[in-house]
Amino acid sequence: MSRTRGGGRHLDEDDIRVRARGGSRPRTSKRPKHENAREGMVTAVDRGRYRCLVDRVPVVAMKARELGRGSIVVGDRVDLVGDLSGRPDTLARVVRVRERGSILRRTADDTDPVERVIVANADQLAIVCALADPAPQPRFVDRCLVAAYDAGLEPLLCLTKADLASPDEMLGVYEPLGLPYEVLGPNQDLSGLRARLAGRTTVFVGSSGVGKSTLVNRLVPSAERAVGHVNAVTGRGRHTSTSASALEFDGGWLIDTPGVRSFGLAHIDPDDIVAGFHDLDEFAVDCPPECTHQEDAPGCAISAALERGEVDTDRVASLRRLLSSREGEDDTEPAAPADPRS
Ligand code: ZN
């Protein structure tokens, strides 16, 4: 799932510069730098400190100065040197960031002025949406789907609070997309979901109150303790960061994203969304340049195929909805104050 389709996208400063290594012998007799470095996975980032797992030992590290401004995010595979004992008050150093297999990012929007990489190397995006309380937010789901397609992650729809409302309407909306989904009640057996998560790296996203963290805590009960004690005054865990954190799960990873409640999508190329619809993409190649593929787009080949009955009406409607979800304000976030535990 490389991010190089389309002949290479623009790299920004958040993209890690991949250093050439291996392949050819060093030209001098000097040994390659940090050849004794060990590989770790970044599991959390908190104020310039990186929590990494190195051979199952949790290690805290800082970034080596030579790495410059490029960001290191949860999910990154990194090379570390220094004290890797994991003992209290020790600090290792991240000296290299390995090439990323996938990048989940958000562009600048009203809630955050800076484009950011959220998670690296994930392969699945679990979109958590409540069936009631709060009411389902298809627009939020659409935006997550677009972000998933853009990042090359496979979406997984998790419909929670199934004890409060029927999933039929939401499933009807997403049926044309053929999404994998799980319908979940509070006491429901999670074996179906567990099977979908095993061996994969899954990012969980969801807006306030949908039960995302509750779900993650049910899947990894030890996670609650890892988050730290909740401060009675602030209601926040002492070690709760607003950035993502990764938890080991059955040969894979679950990555919770407490601070991510929306995706800015301005960076996304509409062609990348259409590319996710193989049945429609073959017609889109005949569209005029810059075609919006919407109903009013002049000369749109998808519209023509629809008129000839060669494509599915619901699929076209879904594509158009996703394309238009890139535009305008992200109004999906409920006005209620963000609850870090939800
Ligand atoms: Zn078109």
Side-chain angles (χ1 to χ4, degrees):
M1 292 196 196
S2 122
R3 292 298 308 122
T4 53
R5 93 185 108 125
R9 67 182 42 238
H10 291 289
L11 296 181
D12 58 44
E13 66 176 35
D14 258 335
D15 286 300
I16 292 299
R17 287 180 293 270
V18 180
R19 282 158 211 283
R21 63 191 295 263
S24 62
R25 215 166 285 152
R27 260 170 286 167
T28 68
S29 59
K30 241 171 106 184
R31 296 176 140 201
K33 238 179 162 185
H34 306 307
E35 67 167 1
N36 296 321
R38 285 163 70 193
E39 188 185 353
M41 145 112 175
V42 178
T43 60
V45 180
D46 189 13
R47 277 162 289 183
R49 292 288 182 267
Y50 303 92
R51 264 191 281 158
C52 305
L53 210 57
V54 184
D55 289 339
R56 309 192 68 81
V57 176
V59 166
V60 176
M62 58 179 284
K63 181 163 70 170
R65 197 181 305 156
E66 67 209 62
L67 283 180
R69 292 190 59 204
S71 70
I72 299 172
V73 299
V74 169
D76 266 326
R77 300 298 192 283
V78 294
D79 291 343
L80 298 111
V81 298
D83 192 332
L84 302 175
S85 65
R87 283 191 295 266
D89 301 320
T90 59
L91 196 58
R93 257 185 320 138
V94 175
V95 292
R96 266 188 298 267
V97 179
R98 301 198 174 194
E99 190 174 4
R100 291 166 173 168
S102 73
I103 297 172
L104 180 66
R105 70 174 83 212
R106 53 181 295 166
T107 30
D109 64 12
D110 292 352
T111 62
D112 188 340
V114 183
E115 172 164 329
R116 293 179 198 284
V117 174
I118 305 167
V119 171
N121 299 318
D123 55 22
Q124 186 165 243
L125 185 70
I127 304 163
V128 185
C129 177
L131 291 164
D133 187 27
Q137 297 171 301
R139 197 172 145 80
F140 174 81
V141 176
D142 286 349
R143 293 178 68 89
C144 293
L145 286 173
V146 170
Y149 293 141
D150 171 64
L153 309 189
E154 205 177 305
L156 168 63
L157 187 57
C158 295
L159 299 173
T160 58
K161 308 196 187 185
D163 54 322
L164 302 180
S166 156
D168 294 349
E169 199 178 321
M170 278 297 275
L171 291 178
V173 171
Y174 291 101
E175 207 244 317
L177 294 175
L179 296 182
Y181 65 87
E182 291 287 329
V183 178
L184 305 163
N187 300 310
Q188 201 163 332
D189 171 54
L190 296 178
S191 53
L193 179 59
R194 288 175 186 279
R196 292 186 187 278
L197 302 173
R200 309 194 63 175
T201 299
T202 305
V203 182
F204 281 74
V205 289
S207 50
S208 304
V210 298
K212 173 170 59 72
S213 291
T214 305
L215 187 58
V216 171
N217 287 335
R218 277 185 70 195
L219 290 162
V220 187
S222 58
E224 206 143 20
R225 268 170 288 142
V227 168
H229 303 283
V230 174
N231 184 310
V233 178
T234 63
R236 285 174 171 271
R238 260 189 303 165
H239 304 292
T240 303
S241 61
T242 51
S243 65
S245 61
L247 303 160
E248 279 189 291
F249 180 84
D250 198 2
W253 296 88
L254 307 187
I255 302 181
D256 196 6
T257 57
V260 179
R261 301 188 190 278
S262 66
F263 286 102
L265 300 175
H267 63 288
I268 289 175
D269 183 341
D271 287 348
D272 285 345
I273 303 175
V274 182
F277 289 72
H278 302 292
D279 50 333
L280 307 180
D281 197 30
E282 58 177 296
F283 293 100
V285 295
D286 296 325
C287 285
E290 310 288 312
C291 182
T292 63
H293 312 303
Q294 298 293 352
E295 237 170 303
D296 57 358
C300 177
I302 291 175
S303 295
L306 187 61
E307 270 166 42
R308 296 193 301 270
E310 290 173 13
V311 291
D312 182 78
T313 315
D314 291 339
R315 293 274 293 168
V316 174
S318 295
L319 170 65
R320 287 179 170 160
R321 204 181 66 235
L322 292 194
L323 285 169
S324 60
S325 75
R326 288 172 56 251
E327 290 142 25
E329 305 259 308
D330 183 354
D331 55 5
T332 54
E333 177 61 4
D339 174 7
R341 308 291 303 164
S342 69

